[in-house]
């Protein structure tokens, strides 16, 4: 019997688990390695911070899904991979051999070494730690009107988080709410259409978020802007993009220039035919695309098909990621911005759309039996 190891229960692997629950794959032992028994859905985290969701609405319990799929779950985190010897090692010292390996562990966070030294640092990844840290920080922030929170990073996650927490703090503390700053060299939402950026700037102004369009670093006096101005924030939320997990460098896998796993069409490693990867931990060499949940979700069906093909000794089927994707960006209150290539719109309708898509996506994994599930994608 061949052994397939699924490392991480990220977006693409949720789909693989569901596919296994619908139709078991014969002659295969499937092992899932996951550090947590649940997967927090990042797309709903800004809505949770804003106070629109309870945390359990944003969470997919993994164990019932794995059980329905006939998959053995190993609680732990991969901390080493020997691709040539076909084994992964876990933090607790165990090793697991595989015939075929699929990696969907997400990535770490790319951070200035200086910013990483900040005593009030809350990195957005891993999401489990961020959610735990934010839960502890919120009451402290609400009881200290002089506090200031800085969000570093002007991508979709940074903008949504700055807006969500400014809205939440303002709603709970009124005009005396702690100040929120968004620091992003190059401005917010680079790469999105001008109309989207304009709407985001207006939303930031409306929520009272101070925008600093400079890189920040950790200088002699603490956090400071590139112009040398101090940024005296007690809390710093780092949403500064993805970085490869430490253990990839010595894995023997071919890596892309960004240090992530180099995969080709079919999400197959370009160096090891029995290794597949999807989501933020992988970079498509032939068709580069943004790191986002939308692409991680879309890779699920092809990953599932190609893992079966690899186990049967067949070459992978090709898959072309979409060139552009729909983003629905929450702006604090129950409103959102639509970003689709050059198209921009915003309002309550966009929030209702996002909320409907996200809840429908989560329902697929929150309720057994998995056999009822369909391949819906999240809002982006
Ligand atoms: C606040 C926030 C909001 C966002 N909003 C959006 C959005 O609206 N739309 C969008 O498209 N993107 C959004 N993103 C980006 C999106 O979260 C990521 O691109 C997406 O989560 C990547 O999915 P993934 O499957 O690669 O990994 P993840 O979703 O990170 O899942 C990785 C899984 O692997 C597990 N894992 C981690 N390390 C290990 C290990 N060593 N061994 C085993 N398992 C491990 C984790 O516990 C987790 O279950 C947002 C990000 C953040 C931080």
């Amino acid at each position: 019997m061949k052994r397939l190891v699924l490392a991480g229960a990220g977006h693409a692997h949720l789909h693989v688990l569901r596919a296994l629950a619908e139709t078991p794959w014969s002659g295969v032992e499937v092992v899932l390695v996951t550090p947590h028994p649940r997967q927090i859905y990042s797309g709903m985290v800004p809505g949770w911070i804003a106070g629109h969701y309870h945390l359990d609405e944003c969470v997919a319990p993994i164990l019932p899904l794995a059980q329905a799929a006939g998959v053995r779950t190993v609680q732990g985190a991969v901390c080493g991979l020997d691709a040539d010897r076909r084994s992964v090692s876990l933090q607790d010292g165990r090793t697991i051999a595989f015939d075929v390996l699929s990696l969907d562990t997400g990535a770490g966070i790319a951070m200035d070494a200086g910013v990483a030294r900040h005593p009030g640092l809350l990195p957005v990844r891993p999401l489990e730690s961020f959610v735990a840290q934010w839960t502890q920080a919120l009451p402290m922030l609400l009881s200290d009107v002089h506090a200031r929170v800085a969000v570093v990073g002007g991508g979709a996650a940074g903008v949504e988080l700055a807006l969500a927490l400014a809205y939440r703090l303002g709603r709970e503390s009124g005009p005396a709410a702690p100040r929120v700053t968004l620091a992003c060299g190059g401005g917010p939402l680079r790469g999105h259409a001008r109309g989207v950026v304009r709407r985001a700037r207006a939303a930031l102004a409306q929520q009272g978020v101070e925008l600093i369009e400079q890189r920040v670093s950790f200088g002699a006096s603490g956090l400071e802007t590139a112009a040398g101005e101090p940024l005296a924030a007690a809390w710093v939320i780092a949403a500064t993009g993805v970085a490869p997990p430490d253990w990839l460098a010595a894995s023997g896998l071919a890596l892309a220039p960004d240090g992530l796993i180099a995969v080709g069409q079919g999400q197959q490693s370009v160096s090891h035919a029995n290794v597949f990867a999807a989501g933020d931990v992988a970079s498509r060499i032939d068709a580069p695309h943004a790191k986002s949940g939308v692409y991680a979700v879309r890779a699920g069906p092809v990953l599932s098909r190609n893992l079966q093909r690899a186990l049967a000794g067949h070459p992978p089927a090709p898959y072309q990621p979409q060139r552009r994707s729909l983003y629905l960006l929450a702006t604090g209150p129950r409103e959102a911005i639509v970003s689709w290539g050059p198209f921009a719109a915003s309002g309550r309708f966009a929030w209702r759309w996002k909320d409907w898509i996200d809840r429908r996506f989560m329902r697929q994994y929150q309720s057994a039996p998995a056999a009822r599930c369909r391949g819906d994608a999240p809002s982006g």
Side-chain angles (χ1 to χ4, degrees):
M1 180 176 282
K2 288 192 175 168
R3 181 184 288 160
L4 164 66
V5 172
L6 304 174
H11 294 68
H13 279 176
L14 288 179
H15 181 94
V16 174
L17 291 173
R18 198 185 55 196
L20 276 158
E22 286 172 0
T23 317
W25 304 351
S26 59
V28 186
E29 178 201 12
V30 186
V31 180
L32 169 71
V33 180
T34 175
H36 306 288
R38 64 183 189 179
Q39 165 77 348
I40 299 173
Y41 175 43
S42 58
M44 291 171 83
V45 165
W48 168 69
I49 288 188
H52 306 318
Y53 300 122
H54 293 293
L55 188 57
D56 55 7
E57 294 177 281
C58 316
V59 160
I62 294 165
L63 302 185
L65 188 58
Q67 201 173 16
V71 167
R72 179 158 69 89
T73 305
V74 174
Q75 187 156 2
V78 170
C79 69
L81 162 61
D82 189 331
D84 293 331
R85 289 175 189 248
R86 302 184 169 201
S87 78
V88 289
S89 37
L90 310 190
Q91 270 167 344
D92 60 9
R94 284 177 289 179
T95 58
I96 305 176
F98 61 83
D99 296 293
V100 174
L101 172 67
S102 180
L103 294 143
D104 184 13
T105 58
I109 189 143
M111 229 183 324
D112 223 74
V115 174
R117 292 207 311 269
H118 192 282
L121 181 72
L122 277 70
V124 293
R125 298 228 167 261
L127 216 41
E128 276 286 345
S129 315
F130 175 67
V131 163
Q133 286 178 307
W134 175 250
T135 305
Q136 287 185 345
L138 180 61
M140 290 189 248
L141 264 167
L142 290 173
S143 63
D144 179 4
V145 292
H146 301 298
R148 183 172 178 183
V149 197
V151 178
V152 183
V159 171
E160 283 193 292
L161 287 175
L163 287 166
L165 60 98
Y167 170 76
R168 174 74 176 270
L169 295 173
R171 209 186 57 185
E172 304 226 357
S173 299
R179 278 169 66 197
V180 178
T181 300
L182 175 64
C184 46
L189 298 179
R190 273 167 70 184
H192 288 261
R194 270 210 297 253
V196 173
V197 176
R198 189 166 35 79
R199 285 171 159 83
R201 286 180 183 277
L204 290 163
Q206 195 184 352
Q207 293 304 324
V209 176
E210 179 194 21
L211 186 58
I212 295 183
E213 297 185 48
Q214 292 177 48
R215 281 185 70 85
V216 294
S217 56
F218 205 76
S221 60
L223 209 59
E224 56 185 42
T225 67
E229 297 286 325
L231 209 174
W235 303 93
V236 175
I237 295 180
T240 35
V242 299
D246 296 343
W247 46 267
L248 269 187
S251 65
L253 291 177
L255 303 180
D258 58 12
L260 295 159
I261 302 167
V263 294
Q265 52 176 352
Q267 302 300 132
Q268 185 184 43
S269 156
V270 298
S271 60
H272 291 73
N274 63 330
V275 176
F276 291 75
D280 287 357
V281 77
S283 284
R284 277 287 290 257
I285 293 300
D286 57 322
H289 57 72
K291 299 278 182 281
S292 81
V294 175
Y295 287 101
V297 169
R298 297 273 182 207
V302 71
L303 186 65
S304 179
R305 188 160 64 248
N306 284 340
L307 291 174
Q308 288 183 77
R309 291 180 65 85
L311 287 160
H314 301 309
Y319 156 67
Q320 190 60 36
Q322 61 201 85
R323 274 191 29 242
R324 76 171 54 134
S325 51
L326 171 72
Y327 289 90
L328 294 167
L329 306 164
T331 54
R334 286 185 162 84
E335 293 174 10
I337 301 171
V338 182
S339 171
W340 167 252
F343 178 76
S346 54
R348 284 178 175 274
F349 82 94
W351 166 267
R352 284 198 295 273
W353 188 14
K354 175 176 173 58
D355 178 59
W356 179 77
I357 292 175
D358 287 342
R359 285 182 189 274
R360 188 184 60 160
F361 174 71
M362 287 310 284
R363 265 200 304 276
Q364 299 176 97
Y365 306 110
Q366 287 171 329
S367 57
R372 284 207 306 265
C373 300
R374 292 190 6 251
D376 303 320
S379 65

